[in-house]
Amino acid sequence: MSHWKQREGGGLFAIWVIRTIALRLGRPVARLLLYPITFYFFLRRADERDASRRYLARVLNRPVTSWDVFHHIHMFAATLLDRLFFLAHGERDFVVDVEGLAILDNYLDARQGVLLIGSHQGSFEALRALGGRRPDVPLRVVLDKQKTPALTAILEALAPDVGAAVIDAALGGTSVALAMAESTQQGGMVALLADRGHQNETTRMLPFLGTPAPFPAGPWLLASALKIPVVLCMGIYLGGNRYKLIFEAFSDGIDIPRANRKLELDAVIGRFAARLEHYARVYPFNWFNFYDFWQETTPADESAGVGAVHASGQPDA
């Protein structure tokens, strides 16, 4: 099975140079540098370029041009750059509109912990803006620090407090589940991504943009174990300095019994995939899965047990 694995471009020194230029010369200058950087990766990264073209052909329903692919990669690069500014300055450099915040407030005001389920749609870092709007509620994010160690090191040096709030998925399923439970039992928020499986992780094949695609089961088993409200979230990049945070009620509490586990998983994940498809069609250049998403899983993987402990922070089941 061919799983996507992110490759860091340039390593620690290159990322340090970009960070230094960005924070010393400012966002406008740094954004100008994104064009030659994007062009370089457009020329050098054939796999990501081809994956972008295949995805865009599905979501745009028209012939895809090289400019479409370049624009897609550039949008991704822009959100990566903006991670630096969100961590360094918060919302200061951005216009951030929020849709559905009242949904989240209702749960938080009742002192209920909330599981925020996101995807590689837009900027997960934009969710940091929640800190300024709900400073009374801690936000923790489940991320695999080993995927991009150079970038992680730079970002944590820039904002140590944010780095300390990350739940490292590489710690293993039990440790991650315990950290999530502790945070949510205290009325906090925990956010994780649910549209990309890891190697040896159980997935379910659900329709997405016209063809069944593999979605990880782990996030939903975690949600079932935690028995807390689930809210879908995404930080859509609108271009320039504009972002839109979207919160959408998904469930007051997910229950996936063992007796009908596969059917229940398919029902829950199918709902999530349908919402992801909706936003992918509305904001097609914001979905940043640069690999062949639809060919990732073989039939043998589909029959794997649901009880594995995963490096991505999925629980025992």
Side-chain angles (χ1 to χ4, degrees), residues 208-286:
F208 180 60
L209 293 174
T211 305
F215 287 88
W220 308 102
L221 295 175
L222 273 172
S224 179
L226 291 172
K227 296 293 189 295
I228 58 175
V230 176
V231 174
L232 302 187
C233 64
M234 58 199 70
I236 299 296
Y237 178 50
L238 301 177
N241 68 337
R242 297 184 302 126
Y243 282 82
K244 182 177 184 179
L245 297 184
I246 299 175
F247 300 99
E248 181 178 301
F250 189 81
S251 174
D252 288 333
I254 291 175
D255 182 28
I256 302 177
R258 288 182 179 273
N260 298 308
R261 175 154 293 176
K262 290 184 178 180
L263 290 176
E264 295 293 338
L265 274 172
D266 286 354
V268 172
I269 300 174
R271 287 176 52 210
F272 170 70
R275 297 312 297 155
L276 182 60
E277 178 169 334
H278 166 77
Y279 288 109
R281 294 195 182 280
V282 176
Y283 305 102
F285 293 97
N286 263 259

Side-chain angles (χ1 to χ4, degrees), residues 65-185:
T65 67
S66 294
W67 169 251
D68 290 326
V69 176
F70 180 90
H71 179 55
H72 191 201
I73 297 173
H74 183 265
M75 290 279 280
F76 176 55
T79 63
L80 286 182
L81 175 66
D82 284 346
R83 291 180 70 180
L84 297 173
F85 294 98
F86 272 116
L87 289 172
H89 307 143
E91 291 185 60
R92 189 189 76 183
D93 300 304
F94 305 99
V95 175
V96 181
D97 296 323
V98 182
E99 178 182 305
L101 185 59
I103 294 168
L104 194 59
D105 283 340
N106 289 337
Y107 289 126
L108 298 178
D109 290 343
R111 303 194 65 79
Q112 290 181 277
V114 175
L115 180 61
L116 298 172
I117 296 284
S119 65
H120 292 81
Q121 180 92 12
S123 172
F124 209 47
E125 205 67 52
L127 291 175
R128 305 291 185 193
L130 273 176
R133 297 165 193 257
R134 290 299 308 239
D136 57 314
V137 181
L139 169 65
R140 302 200 69 184
V141 178
V142 180
L143 292 175
D144 188 346
K145 295 183 178 182
Q146 303 309 310
K147 273 190 172 181
T148 54
L151 181 59
T152 297
I154 291 292
L155 295 178
E156 289 192 349
L158 188 63
D161 55 330
V162 172
V166 170
I167 300 174
D168 188 359
L171 295 175
T174 301
S175 296
V176 170
L178 288 174
M180 292 177 65
E182 180 181 8
S183 296
T184 56
Q185 286 168 4

